[in-house]
C-alpha cells in the first residue's frame, strides 16, 4: 500500500511531482489515478493494493489522485488505511488554478458558459459562486480543516506549484526530505522547456528521450477580463491568508 499519497490539488502540478519523484530509485509510483478514496472505495483495500507497483522493502509506493483533497471522506478513509501515511499537496495561486481548470474543461466541452458566467452568482455585487468546483477547490484553508482532524501538519507537505516551475530541484529536494529519502533528484535532472514554459526531466542514462509532460499540460490559458481576476483575488485573499497562517508558509499569491 502507498506510504505517501499526492492528495491534491487539481491543476496544481501534481502530475509533475509524480513524474519527478518516480525518477528516484527508492520510489515506485502508480502511473494512473486510482480514485480509490473518492470513487472506488466500495471495491475494498485489496483491490486498491492490487493496483500498486511491486516494490522492495526499501522502496516507497506513491500514488496521486488530486481530487482527494476536496473529498470530505478521504482523510478518514486514508487514516483508516494507515495513520502513518504521508500526504503531499501541490498548491498554486487559486485564481490561476481556476483559470487553468476552466481552460481544461473548455478543451473538452467547447459549449460551456464563459468563465465569468460560471464564476459569479451576481457579478455587480461581486458574489462568487462557491458551488462551482473550479472556484471551490482553491479555498484551500477550508479543505485543509478536514485533513487536520486526522493528520498532524507534520505529515502533510505543501509544494508550491509556482516554485515547481521556477526551481524544480529545490522543491523536489524538500519532497525527498519529507519522504525521508536521499536527495537524488537535483538540478542535473531538469532543463527548462521554453516552448512549454515549464521544466522537463533530462534523459536518464537508461532511457533515450527527455521526458516532458503530455500535450494536455502547459495549455495557453483563456484570456480573462482583468477586473474579474481582481474580484477573484479579493475573494480568495482571506482564504489564502488563513491557509498561510495554518501551514506556516507564505506562498506569496497576493
Amino acid at each position: 500500500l502507498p506510504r505517501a499519497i499526492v492528495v491534491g490539488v487539481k491543476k496544481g502540478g501534481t502530475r509533475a511531482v509524480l513524474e519527478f519523484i518516480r525518477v528516484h530509485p527508492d520510489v515506485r509510483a502508480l502511473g494512473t489515478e486510482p480514485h480509490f478514496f473518492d470513487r472506488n472505495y466500495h471495491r475494498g483495500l485489496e483491490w486498491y493494493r492490487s493496483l500498486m507497483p511491486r516494490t522492495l522493502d526499501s522502496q516507497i509506493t506513491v500514488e496521486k489522485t488530486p481530487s482527494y483533497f476536496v473529498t470530505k471522506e478521504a482523510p478518514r478513509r486514508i487514516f483508516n488505511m494507515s495513520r502513518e501515511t504521508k500526504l503531499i499537496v501541490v498548491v498554486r495561486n487559486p485564481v490561476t488554478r481556476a483559470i487553468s481548470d476552466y481552460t481544461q474543461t473548455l478543451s473538452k466541452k467547447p459549449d460551456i458558459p464563459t468563465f465569468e458566467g460560471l464564476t459569479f452568482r451576481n457579478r455587480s455585487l461581486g458574489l462568487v459562486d462557491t458551488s462551482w468546483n473550479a472556484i471551490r477547490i482553491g479555498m484551500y484553508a477550508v479543505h485543509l480543516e478536514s485533513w487536520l482532524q486526522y493528520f498532524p501538519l507534520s505529515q502533510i507537505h505543501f509544494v508550491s506549484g509556482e516554485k515547481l516551475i521556477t526551481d524544480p530541484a529545490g522543491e523536489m529536494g524538500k519532497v525527498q526530505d519529507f519522504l525521508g529519502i536521499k536527495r537524488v533528484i537535483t538540478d542535473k535532472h531538469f532543463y527548462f522547456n521554453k516552448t512549454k514554459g515549464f521544466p522537463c526531466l533530462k534523459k536518464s542514462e537508461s532511457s533515450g528521450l527527455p521526458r516532458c509532460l503530455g500535450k494536455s499540460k502547459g495549455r495557453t490559458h483563456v484570456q480573462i477580463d482583468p477586473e474579474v481576476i481582481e474580484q477573484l483575488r479579493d475573494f480568495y485573499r482571506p482564504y489564502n491568508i488563513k491557509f498561510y497562517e495554518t501551514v506556516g508558509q507564505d506562498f506569496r499569491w497576493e
Side-chain angles (χ1 to χ4, degrees):
L1 288 165
R3 294 229 309 263
I5 304 177
V6 182
V7 294
V9 307
K10 184 184 177 194
K11 306 311 291 174
T14 58
R15 170 57 62 186
V17 168
L18 191 80
E19 291 303 327
F20 295 166
I21 199 64
R22 68 195 304 187
V23 172
H24 200 293
D26 294 341
V27 173
R28 296 294 314 277
L30 181 63
T32 52
E33 295 174 7
H35 283 281
F36 177 61
F37 296 104
D38 54 357
R39 297 181 206 155
N40 292 310
Y41 198 61
H42 61 280
R43 294 176 182 247
L45 213 53
E46 281 313 306
W47 173 83
Y48 183 52
R49 190 197 298 271
S50 73
L51 302 175
M52 297 301 150
R54 293 177 180 278
T55 49
L56 302 167
D57 285 345
S58 58
Q59 291 174 317
I60 297 172
T61 304
V62 179
E63 75 114 316
K64 79 126 182 152
T65 306
S67 48
Y68 291 163
F69 190 65
V70 297
T71 302
K72 264 274 176 273
E73 304 78 21
R76 177 178 51 81
R77 289 170 172 176
I78 293 174
F79 180 83
N80 287 341
M81 171 186 75
S82 166
R83 56 179 60 193
E84 305 296 313
T85 311
K86 293 188 173 189
L87 308 166
I88 296 172
V89 186
V90 191
V91 286
R92 80 194 269 204
N93 185 322
V95 180
T96 329
R97 199 220 65 80
I99 296 169
S100 176
D101 201 333
Y102 177 77
T103 304
Q104 181 178 25
T105 309
L106 191 65
S107 71
K108 295 173 186 168
K109 302 178 188 162
D111 50 352
I112 56 167
T114 63
F115 180 80
E116 218 165 290
L118 291 165
T119 296
F120 297 102
R121 276 189 320 202
N122 183 324
R123 169 131 192 235
S124 53
L125 293 176
L127 287 178
V128 171
D129 187 352
T130 56
S131 70
W132 183 33
N133 223 9
I135 295 295
R136 207 174 65 84
I137 291 171
M139 297 156 67
Y140 305 138
V142 175
H143 305 299
L144 184 58
E145 280 174 16
S146 318
W147 293 89
L148 293 177
Q149 285 170 16
Y150 292 91
F151 294 95
L153 261 179
S154 58
Q155 250 169 274
I156 311 174
H157 179 72
F158 299 92
V159 176
S160 157
E162 285 81 16
K163 282 194 187 150
L164 198 57
I165 293 170
T166 57
D167 178 22
E171 280 302 285
M172 291 313 294
K174 292 179 207 161
V175 171
Q176 292 169 91
D177 293 348
F178 172 68
L179 294 176
I181 53 182
K182 244 172 67 184
R183 283 198 178 202
V184 171
I185 303 160
T186 58
D187 277 334
K188 63 176 189 294
H189 284 84
F190 300 98
Y191 74 96
F192 192 79
N193 183 315
K194 287 196 177 66
T195 327
K196 281 186 172 281
F198 54 71
C200 296
L201 285 166
K202 280 188 189 152
K203 61 179 178 197
S204 60
E205 315 312 307
S206 53
S207 71
L209 293 164
R211 295 234 307 280
C212 259
L213 300 180
K215 285 188 185 63
S216 66
K217 307 296 175 187
R219 283 193 193 96
T220 308
H221 286 180
V222 182
Q223 282 298 300
I224 307 293
D225 176 351
E227 247 175 68
V228 171
I229 290 179
E230 209 40 60
Q231 278 175 293
L232 266 183
R233 277 197 190 131
D234 291 343
F235 165 76
Y236 279 121
R237 192 165 291 115
Y239 294 102
N240 290 346
I241 290 166
K242 184 164 188 231
F243 180 64
Y244 298 166
E245 285 170 353
T246 309
V247 307
Q249 203 174 332
D250 184 345
F251 289 89
R252 304 186 176 269
W253 296 323
E254 299 312 310

